Amino acid sequence: MGTQGVGTMTLIALRTGWKALVVWVLAMVGVMALTGSSLGALYDTPEKIRGYAESLGGDAMAVLNGRVAGLDTFGGLLANEFGFVLSFGMPLMAIALTSRSTRRDEEAGRLELLLAARIGRRAPLLAAVLVASGAVLLTGLACGAMMAAFGAEARGSFLYGLCIAALGFVFVGITAVAAQVVEHNRAVWGIGLALTVGLYLLRGLGALERNALLWLSPHGWVDEVRAFGEPQVWPLGLALVVGLTLVGVAFWLLDRRDVGSALVQPRRSVPRASAALRTPLGLAWRQHRGAVVGWAVIGTALMAVYGALAQEIIDVITENPALGGFLGAGAEGMAEGLLRTVMSTFVMMLSILVAAFVVAGIGSLRREEETGRLEVGLSAQRSRHSWLAVHLIVVMGGALVVGLAGALALGGSTAAALGEEVWVGDVLAGAVVQVPAVLFFAGLAVALFGWRPRGHGLAWAVLAVGALLGYLGPGFDLPDRLLDASPFIAVGQDVLTQGASTTGVVVLAALSATLTAAGFVGFRRRDVPVG
């Protein structure tokens, strides 16, 4: 039950996962650097910063990014603009780094082999927590140093960097607990994603109503540190205590279960499968249905909140033309143009979420290969192409469900907020324009699975770059050629105003078909399982 061998396990975690760790750290720090350099050029005088602060007095921005103290300083401005990336980026980083060395290794059977050596029962979990915690701390301090380098106040930058690390550490603890509770890594991710979105929305509701709900979310604790206002350090202590308590609970739960099992056991199977489950399509749907439901709920919740606040967001941006320029809106037809620009951004965010679902769904096929279930399935006179095609159909059908649910939530809540039913159809039409971007990522994921399954992380990297260019690029006045490299912009930069880009749609459709075909060819030619 001891922790002997924790040093060895830490070295193993670093040796096998250093690439992912470096990518996460560089990505977060890179976004901060890009944000700082762009905002420094846009808000280069105290008057502009003061105007920015005066324009953000509405509740809409409080729901999206919390009530950030010190908005009349460059540091507060930077923290507010980085807030959305922080709210989702750090939790996802913590989940990815913690789960890979705990539940993922245990599910694959690697952890049991390591424990057969002179490795204590608790050593792998402790090593995973140490590595993930070190990574989030490094990220926080580096982001704080980056803020100071761009002109933010040094003490506030350091405190905000600790806030970044504190949010990540809480989710390290959450993931460590989830890894003891459920048996599959995808379930750990499901719990982590649900809590990320739920706590984010809880913080928003607490900030909107100015009540105690704010204190139920670690996102809210970041705001209450008030790094660039009148700072108070004790919320950082609260995050530290909660994170350590969660880690302690994870160890307590670890001692009360067997290796390879979980506290919540999967439902017992019935002696005989249903007729639908005995078909390839039914079996594939059984595998992916949980992810479809989870992603659909997440997308619906987020889009419903964004749509409900559409008018308030427009009011805020209309009062600050510089902020409208940052979001990529022109001066002509400011009111209507800003409204459609913001809604186009929300539609793009929905397409990013759907693309992430697709990449995750196709990536899950690798686990079928690693666990040996794929070989069993192919032994029953079934071709590789038919197996992959069925799973691809189910994943893309799930993408349709996730996208349709999110689009209806966004369009419906916007129509209710503005009193204009036309927004339901407009949002649905804009979502259709984004379909080629989603298909491109499906093709990329299939190509990687067919030729190099271990390189699936490349699909996530391309998605991350495309999402950042799509979300931040227009406001940062980046070159058009660079912006068009993002599939989400290639289909049309403002889909609700300008419609689709014919060239972008054709190119992405051709790339999608080519990559998908290449993936099927590669899957037919390579070994199963591949090393």
Side-chain angles (χ1 to χ4, degrees):
M1 292 294 182
T3 58
Q4 62 268 29
V6 66
T8 300
M9 291 303 303
T10 301
L11 290 175
I12 291 175
L14 289 172
R15 177 65 181 84
T16 59
W18 70 269
K19 293 181 181 179
L21 190 153
V22 169
V23 167
W24 274 108
V25 173
L26 290 180
M28 293 298 295
V29 177
V31 173
M32 176 62 81
L34 182 62
T35 305
S37 63
S38 300
L39 292 179
L42 185 61
Y43 295 95
D44 53 356
T45 65
E47 291 74 19
K48 290 182 179 180
I49 295 176
R50 191 160 46 247
Y52 175 92
E54 292 172 354
S55 70
L56 293 182
D59 291 329
M61 288 301 177
V63 172
L64 294 178
N65 289 333
R67 298 189 183 275
V68 179
L71 281 176
D72 56 348
T73 67
F74 182 71
L77 184 155
L78 186 54
N80 188 66
E81 292 299 332
F82 186 72
F84 186 83
V85 176
L86 168 64
S87 296
F88 290 94
M90 285 309 297
L92 293 179
M93 175 181 178
I95 295 168
L97 297 181
T98 308
S99 65
R100 75 174 310 279
S101 297
T102 52
R103 178 51 61 182
R104 194 181 78 170
D105 281 351
E106 190 167 358
E107 184 179 359
R110 291 187 291 267
L111 200 57
E112 191 170 2
L113 292 176
L114 290 170
L115 292 176
R118 295 182 179 179
I119 301 295
R121 178 77 165 84
R122 297 179 174 181
L125 176 58
L126 180 56
V129 170
L130 290 175
V131 170
S133 300
V136 298
L137 179 59
L138 176 61
T139 302
L141 294 178
C143 285
M146 195 67 67
M147 296 176 80
F150 283 109
E153 191 262 330
R155 182 187 65 174
S157 298
F158 176 71
L159 277 178
Y160 191 73
L162 292 181
C163 290
I164 294 173
L167 179 62
F169 182 61
V170 171
F171 275 88
V172 169
I174 289 173
T175 308
V177 172
Q180 315 310 314
V181 175
V182 293
E183 193 172 46
H184 299 291
N185 189 51
R186 64 176 179 269
V188 173
W189 269 97
I191 292 173
L193 288 172
L195 286 176
T196 298
V197 174
L199 293 173
Y200 167 76
L201 295 176
L202 192 64
R203 187 277 303 272
L205 184 59
L208 176 66
E209 301 294 337
R210 300 176 186 268
N211 58 26
L213 287 177
L214 186 74
W215 294 102
L216 298 180
S217 169
H219 298 78
W221 307 340
V222 172
D223 301 336
E224 292 305 307
V225 172
R226 304 178 184 276
F228 295 98
E230 298 178 358
Q232 49 184 9
V233 180
W234 68 268
L236 290 175
L238 175 61
L240 180 62
V241 169
V242 170
L244 289 174
T245 301
L246 288 169
V247 171
V249 170
F251 280 110
W252 184 79
L253 296 175
L254 175 67
D255 295 339
R256 282 156 179 78
R257 68 175 183 85
D258 296 329
V259 178
S261 67
L263 293 177
V264 176
Q265 295 295 325
R267 186 176 58 183
R268 289 178 175 270
S269 60
V270 295
R272 186 177 180 82
S274 64
L277 198 57
R278 292 197 295 270
T279 65
L281 187 62
L283 188 60
W285 166 246
R286 176 66 176 268
Q287 178 182 334
H288 295 284
R289 67 181 181 182
V292 173
V293 173
W295 283 85
V297 170
I298 290 172
T300 300
L302 279 175
M303 292 301 115
V305 170
Y306 292 156
L309 296 170
Q311 186 58 61
E312 291 190 43
I313 294 174
I314 298 308
D315 292 342
V316 168
I317 298 175
T318 303
E319 295 172 5
N320 185 358
L323 185 58
F326 175 74
L327 292 177
E332 299 83 7
M334 180 64 73
E336 180 68 18
L338 279 174
L339 182 58
R340 290 193 166 270
T341 296
V342 171
M343 294 305 297
S344 293
T345 301
F346 289 159
V347 170
M348 182 185 64
M349 292 169 64
L350 174 61
S351 70
I352 292 171
L353 186 143
V354 176
F357 163 79
V358 169
V359 172
I362 296 174
S364 68
L365 302 183
R366 172 64 173 162
R367 288 194 294 273
E368 294 295 296
E369 188 170 359
E370 291 178 325
T371 57
R373 292 191 291 267
L374 174 56
E375 289 180 277
V376 174
L378 294 179
S379 66
Q381 295 184 347
R382 187 178 177 192
S383 71
R384 297 187 184 192
H385 283 179
S386 66
W387 180 89
L388 181 56
V390 166
H391 279 275
L392 183 58
I393 290 171
V394 171
V395 170
M396 297 313 297
L400 177 61
V401 172
V402 175
L404 183 60
L408 288 174
L410 178 60
S413 58
T414 303
L418 302 178
E420 301 176 8
E421 296 183 0
V422 67
W423 282 104
V424 176
D426 288 350
V427 169
L428 287 173
V432 171
V433 173
Q434 287 284 351
V435 168
V438 176
L439 292 176
F440 167 77
F441 286 102
L444 178 60
V446 170
L448 289 170
F449 177 75
W451 288 95
R452 190 172 176 78
R454 301 180 92 182
H456 183 71
L458 177 61
W460 285 112
V462 174
L463 175 59
V465 172
L468 288 175
L469 286 174
Y471 182 69
L472 298 176
F476 289 164
D477 198 25
L478 297 177
D480 289 341
R481 286 189 177 182
L482 183 58
L483 291 179
D484 288 340
S486 170
F488 304 108
I489 289 185
V491 295
Q493 185 166 333
D494 193 342
V495 295
L496 295 189
T497 300
Q498 303 171 0
S501 167
T502 303
T503 302
V505 168
V506 171
V507 170
L508 285 174
L511 285 174
S512 303
T514 302
L515 289 169
T516 302
F520 275 85
V521 172
F523 185 50
R524 178 66 182 86
R525 293 170 62 89
R526 70 172 174 86
D527 294 332
V528 174
V530 67

